[in-house]
Structure formats: structure tokens, C-alpha cells
Amino acid sequence: MKTYWDIMKTPGVARVLLSQLTARFPFGMVSLAFLIHIEHVYHSYAAAGAVLGALALGQALVGPITSRMMGIFGIRPVIVSTIVVVSITVCVMVLFPLPIWVLMVLGLVSGASMPPIQPAVRTMYPKMVPSTKLTPLFSLDASAQEIIWIVGPVLTTFVAVQISSAAAIFLAVGFFIVGGAWFLTSPIVGRVRIPRSKTRFGGVLKRPTVIISTVVGLLLVASFAAVEAGIVAIFGNGGPTAGWVLAIFALGSLFGGLALGHREISSFSLTARMFVVAAGMGLAVFSTDFWWLSIMLFISGIGVAPALTVLFANVSATLKFSETAEAYAWIGSGQLIGVGMGSAIAGLTIDAFGPAAAILVAALFAGTGTVAALIAKPWSPDLRNRDLSPIPDTEPIPVQH
């Protein structure tokens, strides 16, 4: 824990970490809130899955573009404009009675305008701490973001039940605005400028670490989305029980990230950590009892933040600084496609076979991710005793004072 405390005492780190988590808090609320809202209004998990899939697709398609634009226009202008658009679009989806196909179109627009805060932060971290502290910082970030998934589902279900599902969505918009303003006014955001990438758009996808991180991240997050849909369907949206189960799942990830974050990363680390995720989900299939699901998903969660840490560290250590924002965005796009796949397939499975089937879908996604990580082991870098800072660009990087 001393390592994490030393990192938090580094000037600017605590504010950036906390503010970007606040700005990203809606990511732990929007999917579940819309799942509850659309199922309540249209009485169909398949319809909810379709809208969530459209939202995820929009972000997956446009996320790398908005992230790359930060190297052209700067971090602040891009994030401000996207927050404005997504806030307006999400509110329209809730305020007006619209057919499903219109909600899907608006979901696509909302996804396309999600602020690229995570790629910006991942790109900034190597400029904020020494390279020796990057792995613990990535782990701390991955662990801390689990607060989003611990508090987010509980808060969403509580507000949706006690007030309305629409109120839960409006609350998420509030986090976008307040958290975004807090992050964007951080001094370090104004001092670090992401250089314009010299590679063509999509060129980073030729890098093995980007491909591995994108594919494994897609499968990992698809398992989350399927679990979320399954837990909500099993326990219903008439109480906070589903939120508590999902919070315990995220608590396991927080525990795993803090416990394993200081460990060096080998080429086999991703496979081992994905196996923990898959094993817990596989065991969760055998019962829909609250305590059984909670314990098994806690075990599964222990591997989540450590697995995400590997994805982030692999990219940081193998790409140029000017390429990392776009690379993180492609990884994010893969994860968002995973959200869409997991939500849509789980929704169809729930309607066809019942809620418990969604947990099996989640286990299959996680198991496939483990196999993919094992197959990719020869191309996974061994980062033990290695500088994790991005490869320097060939020209000076402007830093405003």
C-alpha cells in the first residue's frame, strides 16, 4: 500500500485520478439505467439490449477518431464538445416517447459522442510519474475505477426504484458534467499536449500488443455485460439486490487490483489473470442463489483489474507517445463492442431460455478470452525489469508552462 500512497502524493496525480473517475462514473450507470428504463417502458430485454448495443457501437466506431482528434485540437476542446453532445442526446432519449428504432439511432449518436477521457488519462500518466511507477499507477487506476462498478450499480438501482429510471439516467448526465469540469480544470491537462500522430488512422492496429489488448478486452467486457443483464433479470429491478451482487463483483476486482498491482508483468500474466475471471464465472453458472453468485463473482472479479492492468501496460511499453491515445481508444472500442455483444446476446438468451442462461453466456465469453490470451502469449511482451514509458517520438513534445 505504501507504493500507492507514494503515487497519490505525486503532484497532480490524486486530482486527475479522482476527477476522471467522477467523469467516467456514468459508464457504471448508463447501461444498467437504460436496461431498467427500456425494459420497464417496452417490456423487453431484447429491445434494451438492442439500444445498448447501438450505444456501444457508436462509441466503438467513433472513439478512435475523437481520441486522435485530441492530438490535433487538444484535450479540452474535444472533451468539452463531446460532453455537451452526449448530455443532450441522452436527455432526449429519456424525455420523449420514441420508437425503439429511433432510440437505437440516438443511442448510436450518444455512443459516438462519449467523451474520450480514458484515452486522455492513459496517455497522460507516463508524463506524470516515473516509469518505475507506471505499473502500480495503471493498477491503481484499474482498481479505483471499480468504485464506478461498486457504487454505480447500487446507486442506479436505488434511484431507479425509489425515484425513477429516468432520474437515474439524469444523475449520470450530472456526473458527466461535474466530473468533466473538474478533470478539465486540472492544471496538468493544460500542460500536457498529445502530439499529432504521424501514422495513418488505424495504423496502430498493426501492433501485436494493440490487437491482443483489443481482442481480449472485448471478450472480457462482453462477459461483464452478460453478467449485468443476467443478474438484473435474475433478481428483477424491483429492489437493490441486483446492484449489490454487481457491486460485490466489482469489489473483487478492487481487491485483486490492489493485491496484485505491484507485481511485475510477464508474457503469461494476461492468461493467468483471465483464467481467474473465467473460473469464477464458470462456477457461478451452477446456482442463482444470492450468496453463491456473490461469492463466485467476487472470485471472478479478483482477476479483472489485474487483467486490465496488463492491457494498459503492454500498450504503454510498446508504442510511441503520439500513438498511445489512439491505441487506447481502439482498445476501448473493442471493449464497447464487447458491451454490445454481451448485452445483445444475453438479452436474446434471457428471453429465449431464462435469466440464468446469461451467466453461462458470460462464462463462455471469459473462457474464450482466456484461450485468446494463451494463443497470443508468444506475442505478449515480458515487461519484467523493463521501462514501461512510451517510446519517445523523434521530435520534442511541446509542454506548455
Side-chain angles (χ1 to χ4, degrees), residues 28-37 52 152-153 156-157 228 232 243 246:
M29 301 178 65
V30 170
S31 295
L32 183 57
F34 269 116
L35 181 68
I36 295 172
H37 180 73
L52 293 178
T156 299
T157 52
E228 183 175 275
V232 169
L246 295 173

Side-chain angles (χ1 to χ4, degrees), residues 95-306:
L95 290 173
F96 301 99
L98 301 167
I100 291 296
W101 72 267
V102 175
L103 287 177
M104 291 177 65
V105 172
L106 291 175
L108 194 69
V109 175
S110 298
S113 54
M114 286 288 181
I117 294 173
Q118 189 178 67
V121 172
R122 304 278 188 234
T123 302
M124 289 166 56
Y125 280 157
K127 300 300 176 182
M128 298 174 66
V129 299
S131 62
T132 55
K133 295 184 178 180
L134 269 179
T135 295
L137 178 55
F138 282 132
S139 181
L140 180 62
D141 182 280
S143 301
Q145 77 176 5
E146 294 307 322
I147 295 172
I148 297 170
W149 306 106
I150 293 171
V151 181
V154 176
L155 181 61
T156 299
T157 52
F158 177 80
V159 173
V161 171
Q162 298 299 321
I163 305 176
S164 70
S165 54
I169 296 172
F170 291 141
L171 181 61
V173 172
F175 276 111
F176 265 136
I177 296 171
V178 174
W182 187 17
F183 170 71
L184 292 172
T185 54
S186 300
I188 189 66
V189 176
R191 291 199 300 268
V192 175
R193 186 177 71 81
I194 301 173
R196 185 191 295 257
S197 177
K198 295 181 177 59
T199 60
R200 65 178 180 82
F201 178 70
V204 295
L205 291 174
K206 294 180 179 179
R207 305 297 183 90
T209 51
V210 178
I211 296 172
I212 294 167
S213 296
T214 301
V215 172
V216 175
L218 182 156
L219 295 167
L220 178 62
V221 174
S223 69
F224 303 167
V227 160
E228 183 175 275
I231 295 300
V232 169
I234 288 170
F235 295 104
N237 53 34
T241 306
W244 284 116
V245 175
L246 295 173
I248 292 170
F249 178 36
L251 187 63
S253 179
L254 176 61
F255 173 81
L258 294 177
L260 302 175
H262 63 284
R263 297 178 65 89
E264 292 187 308
I265 296 170
S266 71
S267 58
F268 188 68
S269 293
L270 183 58
T271 303
R273 298 173 187 196
M274 283 297 300
F275 177 78
V276 175
V277 178
M281 288 188 178
L283 291 171
V285 170
F286 293 101
S287 174
T288 56
D289 174 74
F290 170 84
W291 287 110
W292 177 263
L293 285 173
S294 297
I295 294 170
M296 293 305 107
L297 291 180
F298 180 87
I299 293 172
S300 177
I302 291 174
V304 171

Side-chain angles (χ1 to χ4, degrees), residues 63-71 75 116-128 134 138 192-205 207 209-211 213-214 311-333 387-393 397:
I65 297 175
T66 54
S67 295
R68 190 179 177 95
M69 289 170 63
M70 290 190 293
I75 296 173
I117 294 173
Q118 189 178 67
V121 172
R122 304 278 188 234
T123 302
M124 289 166 56
Y125 280 157
K127 300 300 176 182
M128 298 174 66
L134 269 179
F138 282 132
V192 175
R193 186 177 71 81
I194 301 173
R196 185 191 295 257
S197 177
K198 295 181 177 59
T199 60
R200 65 178 180 82
F201 178 70
V204 295
L205 291 174
R207 305 297 183 90
T209 51
V210 178
I211 296 172
S213 296
T214 301
L311 304 185
F312 304 146
N314 283 351
V315 168
S316 177
T318 57
L319 270 69
K320 292 182 178 180
F321 179 59
S322 60
E323 298 172 332
T324 53
E326 184 184 343
Y328 287 128
W330 281 112
I331 295 170
S333 293
D387 187 346
L388 301 187
S389 299
I391 300 170
D393 288 271
I397 298 170

